[in-house]
Amino acid sequence: IPVIAKTLIEQGLPPQFFYLAVQESDMDPFISGPMTYKGIAKGMWQFIPETGIKYGLKPGSLVEFRRPDPGDDRHNWQLATPAAARYLKDIYTMEAQASGMLVMACYNWGEHRVLPLVRTMPPNPRDRNFWKLLSSYREKVPKETYDYVFYIVSAAIIGEDPRMFGFDFDNPLGHLEGN
């Protein structure tokens, strides 16, 4: 967690984006997702092959199979974490206008699906956020994406003070100054 948080901070991102990896994979670097129209997502950050390649991750020879592949960089969290941070930063600086919840929606559903909807919204960030996206396009936003964003937000809230919620561990980001 400290390495992931540091990597996110170095990209100017909130360290709480590490909860995205918790939601994606339970932080399991060897996990493989289901087959999608874009291929199989793999690793802790669940990169599909195309996005992994775009961010410098080499797919392995088992790219078409739902199993760990030692030759696939997506399964190497030390390589995949900086790639994920760069990807998140890219999304963060697009029309998502630094809205963490829109960034999460883009990561889950794809920025090519979310951002065209965002572009139809007023440019003011007060009127261009996840809540407004839902109120304007609830029938288009998949339940999976809706749930995904709220699971991550919930995990981040619980993570601030897990003991208050009955968990037997401390804030995983408590090592950071100010937490």
Side-chain angles (χ1 to χ4, degrees):
I1 294 171
V3 172
I4 294 168
K6 180 179 181 283
T7 303
L8 293 166
I9 290 168
E10 286 170 352
Q11 289 293 324
L13 297 167
Q16 289 80 4
F17 270 132
F18 106 87
Y19 289 105
L20 195 142
V22 172
Q23 176 61 27
E24 285 288 343
S25 66
D26 219 11
M27 296 188 71
D28 179 351
F30 302 107
I31 197 165
S32 293
M35 175 58 83
T36 72
Y37 78 102
K38 292 267 191 170
I40 297 170
K42 291 189 176 188
M44 187 167 72
W45 295 95
Q46 288 292 281
F47 275 108
I48 58 170
E50 176 184 310
T51 307
I53 291 167
K54 180 178 177 182
Y55 287 90
L57 302 175
K58 177 180 61 71
S61 60
L62 303 176
V63 69
E64 297 177 20
F65 299 96
R66 290 190 65 218
R67 59 181 191 236
D69 181 352
D72 195 315
D73 291 345
R74 296 174 296 161
H75 287 299
N76 181 329
W77 74 269
Q78 292 96 335
L79 295 175
T81 296
R86 289 191 311 274
Y87 179 38
L88 288 166
K89 182 173 184 161
D90 285 350
I91 298 169
Y92 212 72
T93 58
M94 294 175 184
E95 290 87 346
Q97 294 184 324
S99 166
M101 295 172 88
L102 283 177
V103 170
M104 289 181 251
C106 287
Y107 198 96
N108 176 258
W109 193 30
E111 71 271 13
H112 63 282
R113 290 181 174 138
V114 175
L115 294 179
L117 300 177
V118 170
R119 289 180 192 120
T120 68
M121 299 165 72
N124 182 334
R126 287 186 167 176
D127 299 318
R128 187 180 259 201
N129 57 56
F130 187 69
W131 306 111
K132 296 289 186 176
L133 178 75
L134 287 179
S135 67
S136 299
Y137 298 106
R138 184 66 189 113
E139 73 287 347
K140 290 186 179 189
V141 177
K143 182 176 179 348
E144 174 191 331
T145 300
Y146 174 86
D147 290 347
Y148 177 89
V149 170
F150 286 103
Y151 292 154
I152 295 170
V153 170
S154 299
I157 291 168
I158 291 167
E160 289 298 310
D161 189 358
R163 294 184 188 281
M164 185 172 89
F165 293 95
F167 293 96
D168 190 24
F169 60 89
D170 293 321
N171 180 343
L173 297 174
H175 66 281
L176 300 173
E177 191 173 321
N179 281 337

